[in-house]
Amino acid sequence: MQDSLGNTLSLIDGASLGAVNDFVEGFIASEARAVHVLRAAEDDSPIVQAYCAALHLFAESRDALPNALPFLRRAQQGAARATPREQRFIAAIGAWAEGDIGRAVALHQEQASEYPRDLASLKLGQYHAFNTGDCPGMLRLALAALPAAADVPYLHGMAAFGYEQCHLMREAEQSARRAIGMCRKEPWAHHALAHVMLTEGRLSEGLDFMQGVSDSWTGLNSFMLTHNWWHVALFLIDLGRDAEALAVYDQHAWGVEKGYSQDQIGAVSLLARLELAGIEVGEARWRELADWLAVRTHDQVLPFLDLQYLYGLARADRP
């Protein structure tokens, strides 16, 4: 049995294949259907349990690890009957759970070299590399898989963001446009291209592009949806279209999944950017946002998140 990318699976219950594919495809495509793997949580297949554990860890909250551990333990207990690829993925999730991000990234890099079509592993490796500021690591992961998985548009989107984070703008744009040429609905490639255009000051072009593809942002996870609208707002800010930028915050960038970490820090950072540009956002927006941030004070999951929670709470004059 194989997943939709051709990776061999050791499933106990063949009925779980659809849920596994929803995770793999949904994760690399930034789609909400990745959570469908939780419907197969009763399947003791180690890879199913590892995918469920990963989903819980992505909550990026103090509850994430306790919620993930039962799934991780089941995956580890059954690892002996898993394939070598699955075993390495389980080990990488274990390293993540233990806070050993360096080991997790190393395992994902090994996976990209040995099983380059395990793009869920590659995407997760890029997530860790980004959070630790390892931009070359993000790019190395994508480049390792390209010879074997160039037919997958989402890999070119991953490569595009890796190039952009390494300030290789021409390569980033080429990879993003290749991804979009293969699949117009490739929101991560849209995101990478938005970075390039903002960096290069191509403001009107960037705004037109992002608004032009926004009709394809359907079925996405809340982070990808709100973050791409966040980029739309940045173009509007730099173009001096203040009221429209505020409207993007109110209608698209905040309010999709208010309890999620990434939606919260996106809202904090957008309000901060609006104010830094001299735009009056009003105290009510900060106060409403701070109500959601107040529960985060004991999380300490990622410094990238903590500093933005702190900014939002301080700006709202909350302890």
Side-chain angles (χ1 to χ4, degrees), residues 89-102:
F89 188 89
I90 293 165
I93 301 302
W96 181 13
E98 293 169 5
D100 191 348
I101 303 304

Side-chain angles (χ1 to χ4, degrees), residues 135-153:
C135 304
M138 293 177 66
L139 184 55
R140 277 195 299 271
L141 280 158
L143 295 181
L146 271 173
D151 59 307
V152 183

